[in-house]
Amino acid sequence: MNLEELKKSVRNIPDFPIPGIQFKDVTTLFKDSGNLKALTAELVKKYRNKGITKVVGIESRGFILGPIMALELGAGFVPIRKPGKLPAETFEETYEKEYGSDTIQIHKDALTSNDVVLIHDDLLATGGTMLAAYRLIKQMGVKNIYINFLIELEELKARELFPSGVEIDALIKFEI
Ligand code: AMP
């Protein structure tokens, strides 16, 4: 199975959830066992020799492939969640969206200075969510941070928001 075939399995839904958004529906990609196996193998390939100790998944679609990648890499899994969901003490980061702001949280004891972290989310659009996650984890003083997406919307150029030394990878690219 090649990447073009995987890309074709992503369903585009125009004007969802609001007019003007081309929503990339990954459920059509995940429901096929062959696709799921192939894309997992492709996703983890780049990280096999990086010494990843924790995969951090962002709520909620980062919780689908994040734990699978963690298992494949022999790493632990850590969730980043919306406010009020994590039960113990948290660090948080607030970021601006087009309308209003959003906050994400992580358990204070989820990561240590020995961790090599791979942050995963399903899709890079404006980059606001991942940038907040990156800042949150950076402040925790881990050894190294890698960033991974299943899909990148290239026209939005969100990669440019991140410091140049940060390794960012996306398996499937769409213009918009
Ligand atoms: P952003 O902060 O703009 O990069 O977007 C963050 C989250 O919104 C991603 O994790 C996606 O789950 C979701 N998202 C944004 N745009 C789209 C889109 N066009 N199709 C599907 N999901 C999207």
Side-chain angles (χ1 to χ4, degrees):
M1 184 151 341
N2 62 35
L3 280 179
E4 265 320 297
E5 282 176 57
L6 292 176
K7 186 172 172 176
K8 277 190 212 137
S9 300
V10 178
R11 174 164 56 189
N12 190 74
I13 314 267
D15 299 319
F16 180 88
I18 53 168
I21 300 287
Q22 299 292 325
F23 191 86
K24 302 295 180 272
D25 177 14
V26 288
T27 66
T28 43
L29 176 62
F30 294 162
K31 72 177 179 183
D32 179 273
S33 61
N35 281 351
L36 194 57
K37 197 166 183 181
L39 76 89
T40 300
E42 282 300 319
L43 270 177
V44 298
K45 217 159 67 179
K46 302 181 176 78
Y47 304 107
R48 288 237 180 257
N49 302 316
K50 308 274 193 202
I52 306 288
T53 58
K54 298 270 174 27
V55 176
V56 175
I58 302 177
E59 185 173 3
S60 55
R61 273 174 297 216
F63 293 178
I64 301 173
L65 292 177
I68 299 178
M69 292 173 78
L71 260 176
E72 286 285 325
L73 294 169
F77 178 76
V78 169
I80 279 185
R81 300 210 63 183
K82 290 163 186 159
K85 303 282 188 188
L86 291 171
E89 279 192 56
T90 58
F91 292 122
E92 65 179 39
E93 184 79 18
T94 297
Y95 59 103
E96 295 308 315
K97 305 231 298 183
E98 204 178 353
Y99 302 103
S101 64
D102 247 338
T103 298
I104 52 173
Q105 297 183 326
I106 190 168
H107 272 146
K108 280 187 177 173
D109 61 1
L111 301 170
T112 73
S113 55
N114 288 323
D115 277 317
V116 178
V117 175
L118 173 61
I119 320 176
H120 166 79
D121 202 1
D122 67 327
L123 186 141
L124 176 63
T126 67
T129 314
M130 185 55 87
L131 190 60
Y134 173 77
R135 287 187 175 142
L136 191 56
I137 293 170
K138 187 81 185 157
Q139 282 161 27
M140 292 172 83
V142 300
K143 217 182 243 174
N144 206 354
I145 303 174
Y146 296 90
I147 294 177
N148 169 269
F149 299 94
L150 176 58
I151 297 171
E152 176 178 4
L153 304 183
E154 286 187 306
E155 217 166 271
L156 297 175
K157 301 192 187 314
R159 271 176 188 263
E160 294 170 8
L161 300 173
F162 295 85
S164 57
V166 184
E167 221 178 276
I168 304 174
D169 274 299
L171 195 60
I172 299 171
K173 318 226 178 185
F174 288 94
E175 279 301 300
I176 190 80

